[in-house]
Amino acid sequence: MRPEPIPHASPTALPGYAATGQIDELRATEYRHLDTDGQVYLDYAGAGVAAQAQIRAHHDRLLAGLFSNPHSENPTSVAAGSLVESARREVLAFFRADPAEYAVVFTPNASGACRLVGEAYDFGRAAPLVLTWDNHNSVNGIREYARSSGASVRYVPLSGPELRVAESDLVVALDTGRGGLARRWGRSGRRGLFAYPAQSNFSGVQHPLGWVELAHQRGYDVLLDAAAFAPTNRLDLSVVRPDFVCLSWYKLFGYPTGVGALLARRAALARLRRPWFAGGTIRAVSVQGDWHRPMDDESAFEDGTLNFLSIPDVEFGLRWLDSIGVDVVHARVGLLTEWLLERLATLRHDTGGPLVQVYGPTTGAGRGGTVTFNLRHPDGTLVDERLVAREAAGAGFSLRTGCFCNPGAGEGAFGISRTSTRQRLLAGVDTIDQYLAALRLPTGGAVRVSFGLASAATDAERFVAFVQSTYLNRNVGAESPLPPRLRC
């Protein structure tokens, strides 16, 4: 049964909401499938939602033309290759990147973009990897490449209830060993990689883009994870110049899936050394001579045959998003996020205790449209996030529960110490639930809702109504068994 909106001022009454009315018009036409069967979509951090126009454009293009593997010179191959190159140009234009400075490498997703950098970066004793705690696992995984090359890996911790990174801690991590190792091991030029998210996919915290230049001044290349940031924020590469940017297009506009990108400064791309080659990445190769020559441009990083039938959809998606306006989407998401945070903060049990515990910023300042939290019973104990997942799904809400592939942010949010994790890991626990019990954690994750391109006021209102009607003053009861946690 659909919960009734609670009696409180609607987000539509907020100053500036009317200026984003174009989104409501699109919601009723191009995104009307969002409202079928009384559903509420609140997982834009997981995936964007495609407009009907995007699907029509894909359909019409395939029926109107004939396209084949672009690694040839026949007419259908040339047609496909032309559309791929047009998409590259559109990507650079959208991010205001100078084609002479930046290249676009198409990948399966943002994770694939991170892997390209990790496997080919020149890590070593004098070239460390520095990361913030709240990186997505696709960025955390780069540490395995770094360690296998003998590089040190340094993490910058989160501090305070807002789960932000203190710039002073970042400077210390970047400056550790500065100069000494580089001179000792005879390295010149840049000496390491700094990787961080422009926006945390756990807390919604937006880290300063100015850290790119801060790291550059200390001799680092910078990998900026923009997968959670770019869908609702303008990233201008004529102003901020990271060496590498990883993206997944379905996060920006829902379709196509299976296509991402690495935006790379050409100078930084030229310093990468791939540990292998594949079809499409080489100019020439010999079996008997045991040699190969890679391509001299971005195609040296595009393994095998590109997804040439879907990459043109990226161009349409970017133009679609541009026609709505990234700034309009940013404003709408910011208004809904701030309203949701304020409403959740007002929900209190009759005992006086809060119903909701938010992890990260509790206001709209310096954050994006991702809100992560746990619910509390009147006695202060946490409501199991698996129960929330089950009941929210039953009420038609699509949201996310668990750890969100961001262990560092979770450890910061739940106050897990480095000592305890190491001691407990040595205890030989086998399952996630045993591990949580060993750490004495009351639950195994959190609840995450996130707004995006097609979000409307009713989405936020109905969710708050659901939380209030389902969990306010609800005591711990004999719930039916919950499924075991399989991973985190």
Side-chain angles (χ1 to χ4, degrees), residues 9 40 87 100 102 107 112-113 145 151 153 219 233 241 274 311 321 324 342-343 368 387 429 435 445 448 461 482:
V40 178
Y102 277 93
T107 65
Y145 290 115
V153 176
N233 300 273
R241 291 185 167 87
R274 302 206 67 189
I311 286 176
L321 180 54
I324 300 168
E342 290 177 355
R343 290 298 300 126
L387 179 63
V429 295
Y435 181 61
R448 185 184 75 185
E461 291 174 318
L482 295 167

Side-chain angles (χ1 to χ4, degrees), residues 176-224:
T176 297
R178 183 181 182 184
L181 283 177
R183 288 191 298 272
R184 178 179 174 183
W185 294 97
R187 289 182 58 90
S188 60
R190 300 195 184 280
R191 64 173 186 85
L193 182 68
F194 170 48
Y196 78 104
Q199 178 176 311
S200 169
N201 78 313
F202 184 101
S203 65
V205 163
Q206 292 183 342
H207 297 301
L209 295 179
W211 286 355
V212 173
E213 180 57 27
L214 180 73
H216 280 168
Q217 292 172 356
R218 286 162 170 78
Y220 285 81
D221 290 309
V222 178
L223 169 65
L224 184 70

Side-chain angles (χ1 to χ4, degrees), residues 198-448:
Q199 178 176 311
S200 169
N201 78 313
F202 184 101
S203 65
V205 163
Q206 292 183 342
H207 297 301
L209 295 179
W211 286 355
V212 173
E213 180 57 27
L214 180 73
H216 280 168
Q217 292 172 356
R218 286 162 170 78
Y220 285 81
D221 290 309
V222 178
L223 169 65
L224 184 70
D225 177 6
F229 180 84
T232 60
N233 300 273
R234 171 65 67 183
L235 178 60
D236 188 339
L237 296 183
S238 71
V239 177
V240 180
R241 291 185 167 87
D243 301 276
F244 307 102
V245 180
C246 57
L247 296 159
S248 280
W249 299 115
Y250 74 93
K251 295 287 183 73
L252 271 79
F253 33 73
Y255 186 83
T257 56
V259 181
L262 174 68
L263 278 61
R265 295 178 78 172
R266 294 185 182 276
L269 201 63
R271 292 195 296 273
L272 299 183
R273 294 293 179 267
R274 302 206 67 189
W276 80 307
F277 64 87
T281 66
I282 51 174
R283 183 176 300 279
V285 60
S286 172
V287 172
Q288 296 184 84
D290 193 24
W291 58 266
H292 73 278
R293 177 179 173 180
M295 297 292 288
D296 297 324
D297 58 13
E298 56 268 35
S299 62
F301 294 84
E302 293 174 335
D303 301 325
T305 301
L306 288 173
N307 190 344
F308 60 89
L309 293 182
S310 291
I311 286 176
D313 296 314
V314 173
E315 178 171 358
F316 187 92
L318 289 171
R319 290 185 175 181
W320 178 259
L321 180 54
D322 217 19
S323 70
I324 300 168
V326 175
D327 293 337
V328 172
V329 176
H330 175 83
R332 166 62 65 91
V333 167
L335 290 168
L336 293 179
T337 303
E338 193 149 11
W339 183 89
L340 177 65
L341 289 167
E342 290 177 355
R343 290 298 300 126
L344 293 179
T346 67
L347 299 179
R348 290 187 169 270
H349 298 292
D350 290 345
T351 59
L355 172 60
V356 183
Q357 178 178 345
V358 172
Y359 302 113
T362 55
T363 70
R367 59 130 61 241
T370 297
V371 180
T372 296
F373 58 92
N374 276 126
L375 301 172
R376 290 191 177 275
H377 292 292
D379 65 0
T381 58
L382 293 184
V383 179
D384 195 301
E385 84 283 352
R386 293 171 296 176
L387 179 63
V388 179
R390 185 169 68 192
E391 295 182 335
F397 291 90
S398 290
L399 46 74
R400 184 81 175 268
T401 58
C403 302
F404 323 125
C405 298
N406 198 319
E411 290 167 10
F414 303 138
I416 304 174
S417 70
R418 180 179 182 181
T419 301
S420 66
T421 55
R422 289 193 168 183
Q423 289 175 343
R424 303 301 181 184
L425 282 172
L426 294 175
V429 295
D430 296 320
T431 69
I432 294 296
D433 289 314
Q434 289 173 342
Y435 181 61
L436 297 173
L439 288 173
R440 298 183 179 88
L441 290 178
T443 191
V447 181
R448 185 184 75 185

